[in-house]
Amino acid sequence: MKEYKKRIIDDILRLKLDSFGGVLIVGPKGCGKTTSAKQKANSIIEFQDEDNRERYLSVAETMPSKLLIGDNPRLFDEWQDAPKIWGAIRKSIDDRNESGLYILTGSSSKDVVTPHTGTTRISTLKMYPMSLFESGESSGEISLLDLFNTKKMDFVESKLTIDGLIFSICRGGWPRSLVNKTAQSQLEIANDLFFQICNRDISNIFMALLCNVPHLDSFYSYKHVPNNYQRKHLCQANPLDKHYPGDHLAVHSLCLRIQMRKSSFHVSKRY
């Protein structure tokens, strides 16, 4: 097993576990959420473990509290696959009135509506890809915080060349890339992540926003909003061609553009 590289969030995660009953770690896919969480967890439920997935999901749907049985902190990886676990964890934290009971990890590309926010019970911790300090390419001797606080700093020369810095920026701070031995294979990780985000993750978010906006027809007149048949086919289209919307106003703007191009849907006008 490859040695774990210490992350900036490690100390923050420890503090949050000391302060709250649960901690939700969110961040982009592949940034190291699960690996860092496992360093603190004493038991683990991985909902994407295909050997146990169906059993876990079945229990989570019918009696989620059963999945909470285990040594704490107990980690639930990709908890969004079983959203009912959130309510069970929240109730358990209330009942036990203890800190450091649960860790949840999930990708930022997934958004689950829960009946309770988890405020004061489940604290959210945002995680990012590795910095140059975390990847071992920077000594960390220069602190941006200290510079902004006008602290005097001695001159320190970076060990990275300009070409090396450019490569590190293009490669990104994805932990998986550091395992690869060649520069080209390291860059391929970032390339694949870009492809997956553009062609899958954004598509999922787009369809969820457009197809599940409640009472969309009540917001706008028919002339400005595609009907259900049009929306169905729109949701199957490439979202990158339709400018991904982030809120209702963006959805409205999108609908206006689609209305102007509705001939491409081959749908007859309805009056």
Side-chain angles (χ1 to χ4, degrees), residues 19-236:
S19 307
F20 299 92
V23 180
L24 168 64
I25 305 176
V26 298
K29 288 182 178 180
C31 71
K33 300 181 298 294
T34 302
T35 303
S36 291
K38 284 181 176 180
Q39 308 309 306
K40 300 291 189 293
N42 289 323
S43 62
I44 304 171
I45 294 290
E46 295 180 288
F47 286 110
Q48 294 195 351
D49 175 5
E50 292 299 334
D51 290 341
N52 298 294
R53 177 177 171 82
E54 292 303 321
R55 178 165 59 90
Y56 287 156
L57 293 179
S58 177
V59 175
E61 182 64 27
T62 56
M63 195 169 291
S65 60
K66 292 294 184 183
L67 290 179
L68 306 188
I69 301 173
D71 295 335
N72 301 108
R74 188 161 175 81
L75 167 62
F76 293 91
D77 186 38
E78 296 296 342
W79 73 273
Q80 293 125 312
D81 289 352
K84 283 189 177 182
I85 202 71
W86 180 274
I89 288 175
R90 180 183 180 276
K91 184 178 186 303
S92 173
I93 292 172
D94 282 345
D95 293 343
R96 296 177 60 175
N97 195 27
E98 299 176 39
S99 299
L101 297 176
Y102 307 105
I103 305 173
L104 301 89
T105 60
S107 173
S108 297
S109 65
K110 298 179 181 178
D111 188 20
V112 176
V113 178
T114 57
H116 308 286
T117 62
T119 303
T120 74
R121 301 167 179 88
I122 305 173
S123 179
T124 300
L125 175 57
K126 180 72 174 179
M127 189 172 185
Y128 299 92
M130 283 181 158
S131 64
L132 292 178
F133 176 64
E134 290 174 301
S135 65
E137 294 164 292
S138 169
S139 65
E141 295 176 77
I142 298 295
S143 166
L144 288 176
L145 180 61
D146 288 341
L147 288 175
F148 280 115
N149 289 333
T150 66
K151 180 179 178 180
K152 185 177 180 180
M153 304 290 294
D154 294 329
F155 174 79
V156 177
E157 185 176 357
S158 174
K159 296 180 181 179
L160 280 175
T161 63
I162 294 298
D163 287 343
L165 183 58
I166 292 172
F167 171 78
S168 297
I169 292 173
C170 294
R171 181 206 62 210
W174 311 104
R176 181 64 182 84
S177 66
L178 300 180
V179 178
N180 294 351
K181 295 180 179 180
T182 66
Q184 193 60 42
S185 63
Q186 291 180 5
L187 292 172
E188 190 60 26
I189 297 296
N191 185 53
D192 186 71
L193 279 166
F194 179 81
F195 176 85
Q196 297 292 340
I197 290 170
C198 290
N199 290 276
R200 295 189 179 181
D201 293 343
I202 288 181
S203 179
N204 292 337
I205 296 172
F206 174 85
M207 287 189 287
L209 280 171
L210 190 60
C211 296
N212 297 320
V213 173
H215 313 300
L216 184 62
D217 288 319
S218 66
F219 282 108
Y220 310 108
S221 66
Y222 168 73
K223 289 183 179 179
H224 292 162
V225 182
N227 60 31
N228 290 334
Y229 181 83
Q230 289 171 310
R231 277 205 297 271
K232 175 182 176 182
H233 286 270
L234 171 61
C235 291
Q236 296 172 349

Side-chain angles (χ1 to χ4, degrees), residues 1-16:
M1 182 180 293
K2 195 170 181 63
E3 181 182 357
Y4 174 72
K5 283 184 175 291
K6 182 175 173 60
R7 303 297 299 272
I8 291 173
I9 74 155
D10 290 344
D11 293 337
I12 305 174
L13 176 57
R14 184 181 299 108
L15 174 61
K16 286 187 175 290

